[in-house]
């Protein structure tokens, strides 16, 4: 018997043994074990490929072709067996689970805008109708823009009003309010009149509660020009509140203090969650503060490039999360970021 016949018979024997073993495979786990044994790196057919260097040069093409044919035959038998076993397994699972495959498929759930996005768009539309432009500003800010240029130098105690997230880079932080955008838009447009809103996310390290979150969305309002008055600010914000919450919305303006405005105030809206009777959202007062406001401080105008003896302005900062609580009478601000589809799909 020649060497050629011996090697070919060896390959035929490998194929025969593997196919005989395959006929006894009854489940997918056993099939995987068969694949490792007969087609894995340590299998007999793969050993033939590894030993090609020791075979006579004249026989190598023939042996290579024959070994490939055996491997392909085993792979084809493996795939055929796999399909057969998967069909059997599917049939068995259907019998056990009592699944009616003739039922129609479940409808695909359609995505929708988040309630905060919806209210933010409403606020943007309201101010757009009132002649305001949208001006974007960065969420990662410098200490100067977030505090110093807003009349809060490094030693100022008012900095403690904001629980700030600082980064590892000196002087860089996550903005605690949208007010830094005031300086950026003033420096970009001075000495022209300004009538803009600056929406965006802000971050503070605060205790989570029904009315407070670590991350929330704000909208900054800024008007700068000649002879801009406190009365104009009050009229603008009252008009905004009634457009957003309805003509029957109750508002009140209370004195307050912010380093970057003088005089300063806060605008409250009657709590729609409890109709003024008192609840956790309004801290039992019947009122919910939706924004802080005031006339732009002269030093802030100077930092922005405006002469405070000629120009004046007003600014306001409102929380979109809190406005959304009022708009839809929601009792807990944490619902917005819990990603509970049962809650979100209501909007």
């Amino acid at each position: 018997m020649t060497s050629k016949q011996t090697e070919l018979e060896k390959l035929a024997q490998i194929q025969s043994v593997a196919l005989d073993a395959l006929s006894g495979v009854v489940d997918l786990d056993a099939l995987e074990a068969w694949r490792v044994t007969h087609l894995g790196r340590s299998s007999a057919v793969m050993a033939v490929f590894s030993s090609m260097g020791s075979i006579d040069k004249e026989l190598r093409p023939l042996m290579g072709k024959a070994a490939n044919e055996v491997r392909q035959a085993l792979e084809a038998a493996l795939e055929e067996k796999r399909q057969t076993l998967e069909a059997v397994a599917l049939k068995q699972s259907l019998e056990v689970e009592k699944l009616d495959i003739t039922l129609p498929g479940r409808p695909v759930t359609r995505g929708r805008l988040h309630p905060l996005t919806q209210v933010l768009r409403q606020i943007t539309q309201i101010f757009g109708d009132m002649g305001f432009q949208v001006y974007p500003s960065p969420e990662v800010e410098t200490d100067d823009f977030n505090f110093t240029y807003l009349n809060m130098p490094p030693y100022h105690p008012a900095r403690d009003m904001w629980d700030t997230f600082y980064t590892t880079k000196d002087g860089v932080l996550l903005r605690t309010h949208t007010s830094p955008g005031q300086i950026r838009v003033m420096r970009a447009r001075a000495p022209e009149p300004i009538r803009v809103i600056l929406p965006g996310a802000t971050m503070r390290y605060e205790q989570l509660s029904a009315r407070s979150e670590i991350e929330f969305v704000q909208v900054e309002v800024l008007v700068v020009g000649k002879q801009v008055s406190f009365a104009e600010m009050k009229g603008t914000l009252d008009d905004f509140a009634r457009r957003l919450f309805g003509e029957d919305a109750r508002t009140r303006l209370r004195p307050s203090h912010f380093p970057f405005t003088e005089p300063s105030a806060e605008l409250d809206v009657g709590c729609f969650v409890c109709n003024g009777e008192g609840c956790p959202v309004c801290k039992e007062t019947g009122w919910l503060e939706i924004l802080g406001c005031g006339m732009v401080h002269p030093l802030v105008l100077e930092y922005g490039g405006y002469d405070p003896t000629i120009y004046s302005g007003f600014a306001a900062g409102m929380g979109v999360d809190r406005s959304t609580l009022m708009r839809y009478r929601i009792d807990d601000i944490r619902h917005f970021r819990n990603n509970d589809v049962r809650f979100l799909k209501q909007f």
Side-chain angles (χ1 to χ4, degrees):
M1 182 178 292
T2 65
S3 174
K4 171 182 174 182
Q5 290 175 325
T6 301
E7 294 297 335
L8 292 177
E9 288 178 357
K10 181 180 178 181
L11 283 171
Q13 182 67 19
I14 291 173
Q15 180 175 344
S16 177
V17 171
L19 293 178
D20 287 343
L22 184 62
S23 63
V25 172
V26 295
D27 58 48
L28 292 172
D29 290 337
L31 183 65
E32 176 61 17
W34 181 92
R35 184 195 67 79
V36 172
T37 301
H38 299 283
L39 284 171
R41 292 183 178 180
S42 301
S43 63
V45 68
M46 297 306 293
V48 173
F49 288 103
S50 301
S51 64
M52 282 292 178
S54 61
I55 299 176
D56 293 339
K57 293 183 179 181
E58 294 78 6
L59 293 179
R60 287 178 191 174
L62 182 61
M63 288 301 298
K65 178 181 178 182
N68 274 322
E69 290 175 349
V70 171
R71 183 181 61 182
Q72 291 171 4
L74 295 181
E75 289 175 345
L78 170 67
E79 185 59 29
E80 182 180 356
K81 190 71 172 183
R82 187 191 307 279
Q83 293 178 6
T84 300
L85 293 177
E86 287 177 348
V88 171
L90 176 61
K91 181 180 179 181
Q92 291 174 345
S93 67
L94 293 178
E95 291 174 350
V96 173
E97 296 177 7
K98 305 297 183 183
L99 177 64
D100 186 355
I101 61 175
T102 64
L103 290 174
R106 295 177 181 176
V108 177
T109 302
R110 295 183 62 187
R112 63 198 58 184
L113 293 176
H114 193 280
L116 294 179
T117 303
Q118 294 182 35
V119 173
L120 178 58
R121 290 190 176 189
Q122 293 173 9
I123 292 173
T124 303
Q125 181 63 51
I126 291 171
F127 279 108
D129 293 341
M130 297 166 69
F132 285 77
Q133 295 177 312
V134 177
Y135 188 90
S137 57
E139 296 178 5
V140 178
E141 270 292 5
T142 65
D143 183 274
D144 287 337
F145 277 93
N146 199 79
F147 292 119
T148 304
Y149 298 153
L150 295 174
N151 196 29
M152 288 180 285
Y155 57 82
H156 202 293
R159 288 186 174 217
D160 294 336
M161 294 171 59
W162 292 271
D163 299 311
T164 309
F165 284 106
Y166 287 92
T167 69
T168 55
K169 185 174 182 180
D170 188 36
V172 178
L173 49 84
L174 303 182
R175 66 178 179 187
T176 57
H177 47 177
T178 47
S179 299
Q182 293 183 28
I183 304 298
R184 293 188 178 277
V185 68
M186 282 193 285
R187 290 187 173 185
R189 298 191 178 182
E192 299 176 359
I194 294 175
R195 195 174 182 87
V196 299
I197 61 171
L198 304 96
T202 57
M203 281 67 66
R204 297 179 193 171
Y205 187 62
E206 294 189 350
Q207 179 67 41
L208 297 179
S209 68
R211 51 186 282 127
S212 299
E213 260 279 10
I214 290 177
E215 178 185 352
F216 50 95
V217 181
Q218 281 191 337
V219 175
E220 193 79 9
V221 182
L222 178 65
V223 174
V224 177
K226 296 179 180 179
Q227 299 181 342
V228 176
S229 66
F230 193 92
E232 182 179 349
M233 180 193 74
K234 183 179 185 301
T236 300
L237 298 180
D238 279 347
D239 186 24
F240 160 76
R242 289 180 172 81
R243 292 192 190 201
L244 182 63
F245 299 114
E247 289 297 328
D248 296 332
R250 297 177 299 132
T251 63
R252 71 177 185 182
L253 204 60
R254 294 180 291 104
S256 186
H257 170 72
F258 302 103
F260 36 86
T261 55
E262 180 60 38
S264 304
E266 290 183 342
L267 181 69
D268 296 339
V269 176
C271 182
F272 292 121
V273 176
C274 63
N275 293 320
E277 296 180 2
C279 67
V281 175
C282 63
K283 293 185 176 181
E284 309 298 335
T285 65
W287 294 89
L288 189 64
E289 178 260 318
I290 62 168
L291 59 86
C293 58
M295 302 302 292
V296 180
H297 196 286
L299 288 178
V300 176
L301 286 172
E302 287 187 5
Y303 277 123
Y306 287 84
D307 184 348
T309 63
I310 300 174
Y311 295 92
S312 60
F314 70 80
M318 67 189 69
V320 175
D321 300 60
R322 195 163 294 174
S323 296
T324 307
L325 287 179
M326 299 295 294
R327 181 73 173 79
Y328 293 108
R329 306 188 182 189
I330 300 169
D331 61 0
D332 196 321
I333 199 171
R334 290 168 290 191
H335 290 317
F336 294 137
R337 292 175 177 82
N338 285 343
N339 292 328
D340 189 334
V341 177
R342 295 170 300 177
F343 169 78
L344 296 176
K345 71 180 182 180
Q346 298 178 57
F347 303 91

